[in-house]
């Protein structure tokens, strides 16, 4: 068969394809979680077949999959959301489970946050009211910006604080994440995005700024200019 024959076969079925694509924009009926019987609130775009989860199951299914993108059902459509808004916390050490040692002296007992002041002046953000919720940088010193080939992710992070634990930047490295800074890890890159940038730079001559612009576009095709950009992140790409 020729290419024209294959195209004619598709034209005959294009309405069925369009119907199937439009049907994917609404939750199935009954609206139940794919794991339990709870209400389906979140749809994961990274999981195979894009299953729907309740909040609790979404957290449990993604505690080792922080790079998945999700959408939240508003009652009329699926809105861009994030695992951070779904309440997921990235625990380092102990195979993704909370550290049994609790928090060290000088740390917030509820947040296990880094016990030093955090300077957020390096972030280039518009007024908070103009930024969609899934693009807002979490408040406090315990958030982490993860840059991956899938997008730029904002997550709450809890580090292991056992007496024999590594420094925070080393805990990230052992998890396959390269921290942009040593003392105050706030931005980290997956090895996948670093390798992908090298390949793009060598084969396509993609510049650092153009590659990061692509990541912003992947994160939010509607508001790419609102994706948080850290000066240290761009500097690490250059290095």
């Amino acid at each position: 068969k020729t290419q024209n024959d294959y195209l004619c076969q598709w034209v005959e079925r294009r309405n069925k394809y369009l119907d199937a694509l439009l049907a994917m924009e609404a939750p199935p009926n009954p609206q139940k979680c794919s794991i339990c019987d709870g209400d389906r609130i979140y749809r994961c775009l990274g999981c195979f077949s894009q299953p729907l989860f309740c909040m609790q199951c979404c957290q449990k299914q993604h505690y080792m999959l922080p790079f998945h993108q999700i959408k939240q059902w508003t009652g009329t459509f699926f809105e861009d959301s994030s695992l951070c808004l779904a309440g997921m916390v990235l625990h380092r050490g102990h195979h993704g489970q909370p550290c049994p040692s609790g928090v060290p002296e000088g740390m917030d007992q509820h947040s296990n946050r880094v016990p030093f002041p955090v300077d957020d002046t390096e972030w280039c953000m518009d007024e908070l009211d103009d930024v969609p919720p899934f693009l807002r940088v979490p408040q406090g010193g315990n958030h982490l910006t993860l840059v991956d080939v899938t997008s730029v992710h904002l997550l709450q992070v809890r580090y292991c604080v056992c007496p024999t634990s590594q420094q925070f930047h080393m805990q990230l490295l052992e998890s396959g994440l390269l921290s942009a800074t040593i003392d105050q890890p706030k931005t980290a890159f997956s090895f996948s995005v670093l390798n992908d940038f090298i390949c793009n730079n060598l084969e396509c001559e993609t510049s650092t700024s153009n590659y990061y612009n692509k990541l912003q576009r992947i994160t939010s095709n509607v508001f790419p200019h609102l994706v948080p950009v850290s000066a240290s992140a761009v500097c690490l790409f250059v290095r």
Side-chain angles (χ1 to χ4, degrees), residues 133-201:
F134 78 102
L135 293 178
R136 295 176 185 173
V137 177
Q139 300 300 310
N142 59 331
H143 73 269
L144 187 68
T145 302
L146 298 180
V147 183
D148 185 59
V149 291
T150 56
S151 69
V152 178
H153 305 267
L154 302 171
L155 281 176
Q156 298 288 342
V157 62
R158 304 289 187 272
Y159 295 98
C160 174
V161 293
C162 293
T164 58
S165 63
Q166 296 275 9
Q167 291 182 314
F168 294 161
H169 68 94
M170 289 301 300
Q171 292 186 37
L172 294 175
L173 184 62
E174 292 174 350
S175 302
L177 301 171
L178 182 62
S179 176
T181 56
I182 300 298
D183 296 330
Q184 302 182 19
K186 292 175 55 181
T187 304
F189 298 84
S190 68
F191 290 155
S192 297
V193 74
L194 295 175
N195 291 331
D196 186 64
F197 169 68
I198 292 175
C199 291
N200 276 265
N201 182 260

Side-chain angles (χ1 to χ4, degrees), residues 63-76:
Y63 77 99
M64 296 291 281
L65 300 169
F67 299 136
H68 281 196
Q69 293 177 297
I70 64 173
K71 289 179 176 287
Q72 181 178 2
W73 179 249
T74 64
T76 55

Side-chain angles (χ1 to χ4, degrees), residues 11-12 17 39 43 68 70 78 123 166 173 176 184-185 194 197 207 226 233:
V11 169
E12 295 175 357
Y17 274 70
D39 291 335
R43 164 174 282 170
H68 281 196
I70 64 173
F78 280 104
W123 292 97
Q166 296 275 9
L173 184 62
Q184 302 182 19
L194 295 175
F197 169 68
S207 66
L226 296 181

Side-chain angles (χ1 to χ4, degrees), residues 13-230:
R13 298 166 175 81
R14 60 182 175 183
N15 290 334
K16 292 183 178 180
Y17 274 70
L18 290 175
D19 290 341
L21 291 174
L22 290 175
M24 293 172 59
E25 297 298 321
N29 190 19
Q31 189 173 328
K32 297 295 183 181
C33 174
S34 58
I35 303 297
C36 66
D37 291 331
D39 291 335
R40 297 182 176 186
I41 303 176
Y42 298 100
R43 164 174 282 170
C44 180
L45 305 182
C47 293
F48 182 71
S49 76
Q50 299 186 1
L52 276 74
F53 303 103
C54 64
M55 178 177 290
Q56 290 75 17
C57 290
C58 185
Q59 296 174 9
K60 293 179 181 178
Q61 292 297 311
H62 292 93
Y63 77 99
M64 296 291 281
L65 300 169
F67 299 136
H68 281 196
Q69 293 177 297
I70 64 173
K71 289 179 176 287
Q72 181 178 2
W73 179 249
T74 64
T76 55
F77 66 97
F78 280 104
E79 181 182 44
D80 288 332
S81 185
S82 68
L83 291 173
C84 183
L85 293 178
M88 198 196 84
V89 177
L90 185 65
H91 293 281
R92 301 322 315 134
H94 308 284
H95 306 288
Q97 300 301 318
C99 178
S101 297
V103 295
E105 183 178 357
M107 287 190 179
D108 189 321
Q109 62 177 344
H110 298 294
S111 64
N112 186 12
R113 66 181 60 189
V114 183
F116 41 66
V118 177
D119 181 14
D120 286 331
T121 57
E122 66 171 299
W123 292 97
C124 303
M125 296 289 290
D126 290 0
E127 293 296 331
L128 191 61
D129 293 339
D130 298 331
V131 180
F134 78 102
L135 293 178
R136 295 176 185 173
V137 177
Q139 300 300 310
N142 59 331
H143 73 269
L144 187 68
T145 302
L146 298 180
V147 183
D148 185 59
V149 291
T150 56
S151 69
V152 178
H153 305 267
L154 302 171
L155 281 176
Q156 298 288 342
V157 62
R158 304 289 187 272
Y159 295 98
C160 174
V161 293
C162 293
T164 58
S165 63
Q166 296 275 9
Q167 291 182 314
F168 294 161
H169 68 94
M170 289 301 300
Q171 292 186 37
L172 294 175
L173 184 62
E174 292 174 350
S175 302
L177 301 171
L178 182 62
S179 176
T181 56
I182 300 298
D183 296 330
Q184 302 182 19
K186 292 175 55 181
T187 304
F189 298 84
S190 68
F191 290 155
S192 297
V193 74
L194 295 175
N195 291 331
D196 186 64
F197 169 68
I198 292 175
C199 291
N200 276 265
N201 182 260
L202 292 176
E203 297 296 334
C204 306
E205 299 183 357
T206 304
S207 66
T208 304
S209 59
N210 286 341
Y211 185 81
Y212 201 83
N213 289 341
K214 184 191 78 169
L215 291 178
Q216 289 180 293
R217 181 71 65 176
I218 293 174
T219 304
S220 177
N221 191 40
V222 180
F223 305 105
H225 62 290
L226 296 181
V227 176
V229 179
S230 172

